[in-house]
Amino acid sequence: GQGGCRTAMGKRLVRDWLCRPAGSLQTIKSRHDRVAALVSDRRLADEIGQALSPIQDVARIAGRLALGRATPRDVVGIGRSLSLIERLCELTDNTPAFAAQHSELRGIESVLRPIAERIDAECVEDPPALLRDGGVFREGVDRRLDEARSLQTDASKRLADYQAKIAQELDLPGIKVGYNKVFGYYVELTAVQAAGAGDKLAQHALTRKQTLKNAERYITPELKDFEDKVSRAESMAQEVERELFTRLTAELTKHLGALSAFSHAVAELDVLTAFADRATRRGWARPEMTTGVELNL
């Protein structure tokens, strides 16, 4: 499909070239020069192909960025794709046929490479699909985020410690401290334990929260305070990640022109490499183009 192109941008460009063939002899000659360079240097063609393969649909992602709809995976994908600009600059250097493309890539490299490095440094390799799921940014990017996460991570240890403490205070080894999305944190006693605990419950400020078939769930002031802290930490983590993500997408949006130039350069390299692969496989010879109307086969 689409002439053996490796990227979505290349597939769209080859379709565009087939639907709207070039009418300028200079344009055709320039394309043929580049295909000829790749046909004669198969190692270069393979290396360009390998560099292009991981590049995502930067053009479509840039469109989502412009509309404010980019996801964490879009941003990480664009960062990974832009990190290949240096390799593409190296590969197009020293091949006269690719001088124009080399110069275009070099021109935008200074703008795009730092963004790729920033995305790589700040974002995890495999981010969630949605920002609200959290966990987009690495540890050490923002102190507030690290603190909020630390509290969330410590939650299970602190609950285990609290369970041991309250079990000792009430002298009920089987007591359980748990969490439920609807009711929050709770201390759970079996119906038998609850019936036998009597005054101890009031003494340790346990207030009934929920009655189950064979158990009773309670809340304590200490547990309520802990729940508020964890809830604030979750809100803080979400807020900080949203702020960091907005800052990152705003930086990318500033350079939509450079992203568009990168997409175009990648698409052209992709189509020309696919043409060279096809020509090599099928043993095609380069045609000699003229302005006349004759066709000599």
Side-chain angles (χ1 to χ4, degrees), residues 71-269:
T71 68
R73 286 180 187 170
D74 283 338
V75 169
V76 170
I78 220 168
R80 210 168 282 152
S81 302
L82 295 180
S83 68
L84 290 155
I85 192 167
E86 189 181 6
R87 180 71 181 132
L88 293 175
C89 283
E90 283 169 16
L91 291 169
T92 50
D93 201 7
N94 303 323
T95 304
F98 287 101
Q101 256 164 332
H102 175 74
S103 148
E104 185 179 22
L105 286 166
R106 272 277 177 245
I108 54 176
E109 185 195 15
S110 58
V111 173
L112 298 181
R113 205 172 62 168
I115 299 177
E117 286 165 359
R118 181 178 164 186
I119 293 169
D120 181 51
E122 292 188 6
C123 299
V124 298
E125 276 178 43
D126 188 17
L130 301 168
L131 181 61
R132 67 166 178 261
D133 293 335
V136 176
F137 292 89
R138 295 183 192 273
E139 203 177 313
V141 173
D142 189 285
R143 184 183 49 79
R144 297 164 302 164
L145 184 58
D146 290 349
E147 282 173 7
R149 281 180 179 164
S150 166
L151 187 62
Q152 289 173 279
T153 308
D154 290 349
S156 53
K157 185 187 180 305
R158 288 177 64 176
L159 278 183
D161 292 347
Y162 182 67
Q163 182 170 299
K165 178 188 157 199
I166 200 160
Q168 192 180 1
E169 284 175 358
L170 294 171
D171 193 23
L172 292 169
I175 199 168
K176 202 169 84 181
V177 175
Y179 173 77
N180 172 295
K181 266 190 174 175
V182 179
F183 293 99
Y185 290 95
Y186 57 82
V187 174
E188 184 175 295
L189 280 75
T190 65
V192 176
Q193 285 173 329
D199 296 343
K200 281 185 186 174
L201 301 180
Q203 213 177 331
H204 290 89
L206 270 79
T207 312
R208 186 181 277 109
K209 194 172 191 181
Q210 187 191 11
T211 300
L212 303 176
K213 192 179 175 187
N214 297 313
E216 295 286 350
R217 285 178 177 175
Y218 301 86
I219 187 75
T220 66
E222 201 174 334
L223 209 48
K224 185 77 190 89
D225 182 48
F226 176 73
E227 187 176 307
D228 292 344
K229 275 184 184 163
V230 171
S231 175
R232 279 199 300 275
E234 283 172 4
S235 301
M236 171 61 90
Q238 280 186 335
E239 200 177 306
V240 174
E241 289 220 56
R242 194 162 47 243
E243 184 188 308
L244 293 171
F245 190 71
T246 303
R247 211 182 293 163
L248 201 50
T249 50
E251 181 60 30
L252 275 165
T253 308
K254 271 191 225 164
H255 303 293
L256 288 175
L259 290 175
S260 173
F262 177 74
S263 311
H264 182 67
V266 164
E268 278 213 329
L269 281 170

